[in-house]
Amino acid sequence: MYNPYDFYFKKAQKQWFKARSVFKLEEIDKKYKIFDKSSKYILDIWCAPWSWLQYVYSKLNDFKIKDYKLIWFDIKQVNLNLENVFTYVQDITDVHAVDQTISSHNIEKFDIIISDMAPNTIGFKDVDAMKSIGLLEKTVWIYEKYLKSDGKFVIKIFMWPWFDEFVKNMKRIFGDTNIKVFKPAACRKESKETYIVKLK
């Protein structure tokens, strides 16, 4: 039975995180060591409600990384006053606008790209599935163009039709052994969401 106020919801509140989703990224990071002292340039696609931002910002400061940049895109306004954090209201399917924004920071490639992106759903599974995979396919260019060859990414995906095909395509682009599929314990059991992780 769906319970919005489950263990992870209460844990997030207790630790002052904006959302329970932070524990999904935390679990992925612990398993695959996503963030380390070389994590200087990071792009987050669809950062609201920015619990992932809270986690990454804390990690980079724990590592005492200097001159890092965190670039965050979302279709919702996210106003934060944090050093080296830059948030933009941005449609990530607008290639020209994304290129311009990234270029303004003199960044050629990112060490890490993370995405907890999901489309607005309407409750019809087939339609929602098509919207989800369609949105993901429209963002693959960002990983191809802006991720370092030894960079890492974490992408949310739903295990709906076309899931296997999308994973196969990511393996073709980034290497079969580099791509992992992992569902953190913090995901609700009834949820179809899981994550694609690219290792170095």
Side-chain angles (χ1 to χ4, degrees):
M1 182 177 178
Y2 175 73
N3 175 18
Y5 308 110
D6 65 1
F7 169 78
Y8 290 104
F9 173 87
K10 294 174 182 176
K11 185 178 179 181
Q13 282 197 319
K14 187 175 182 180
Q15 296 185 19
W16 297 99
F17 285 116
K18 290 290 291 183
R20 69 193 299 284
S21 56
V22 67
F23 301 114
K24 303 170 190 177
L25 182 60
E26 180 184 56
E27 191 174 345
I28 293 168
D29 184 30
K30 286 181 177 179
K31 182 175 179 65
Y32 295 110
K33 304 293 187 290
I34 303 299
F35 304 97
D36 55 38
K37 292 183 178 180
S38 68
S39 306
K40 188 173 182 180
Y41 297 133
I42 299 174
L43 175 65
D44 184 2
I45 300 171
W46 222 275
C47 60
W50 54 271
S51 65
W52 280 26
L53 185 152
Q54 289 178 287
Y55 179 81
V56 177
Y57 185 76
S58 175
K59 290 287 289 189
L60 298 191
N61 282 283
D62 286 346
F63 287 135
K64 295 181 170 43
I65 299 173
K66 296 180 180 180
D67 302 324
Y68 64 81
K69 284 187 178 181
L70 311 183
I71 311 297
W72 308 89
F73 291 149
D74 203 289
I75 57 173
K76 297 178 180 179
Q77 185 71 46
V78 179
N79 293 315
L80 298 171
N81 185 24
L82 297 174
E83 187 178 8
N84 300 326
V85 174
F86 305 90
T87 62
Y88 297 92
V89 177
Q90 179 61 62
D91 176 358
I92 55 174
T93 67
D94 186 336
V95 176
H96 180 67
V98 170
D99 283 342
Q100 281 192 316
T101 300
I102 293 174
S103 178
S104 71
H105 288 279
N106 296 314
I107 296 175
E108 292 186 5
K109 300 283 185 177
F110 288 93
D111 300 294
I112 301 168
I113 301 177
I114 57 176
S115 174
D116 202 33
M117 178 177 63
N120 293 324
T121 56
I122 61 174
F124 294 97
K125 290 185 178 181
D126 289 344
V127 176
D128 290 340
M130 291 179 66
K131 288 173 64 178
S132 176
I133 202 69
L135 188 56
L136 281 175
E137 288 176 342
K138 288 178 181 178
T139 63
V140 171
W141 74 271
I142 295 179
Y143 304 95
E144 290 186 282
K145 182 172 183 177
Y146 285 112
L147 187 69
K148 290 181 178 179
S149 58
D150 61 348
K152 307 169 191 173
F153 65 58
V154 177
I155 307 172
K156 177 159 75 177
I157 186 171
F158 291 90
M159 297 181 73
W160 286 335
W162 306 290
F163 165 81
D164 290 335
E165 198 62 35
F166 185 83
V167 173
K168 186 185 296 183
N169 187 44
M170 298 304 275
K171 288 183 176 181
R172 179 186 61 80
I173 297 169
F174 297 104
D176 185 78
T177 59
N178 293 329
I179 299 296
K180 308 295 180 183
V181 176
F182 176 66
K183 182 170 183 173
C187 294
R188 300 184 190 278
K189 290 182 179 180
E190 66 275 13
S191 174
K192 294 290 186 181
E193 72 176 358
T194 188
Y195 290 83
I196 301 174
V197 181
K198 178 194 175 289
L199 308 179
K200 285 187 176 181

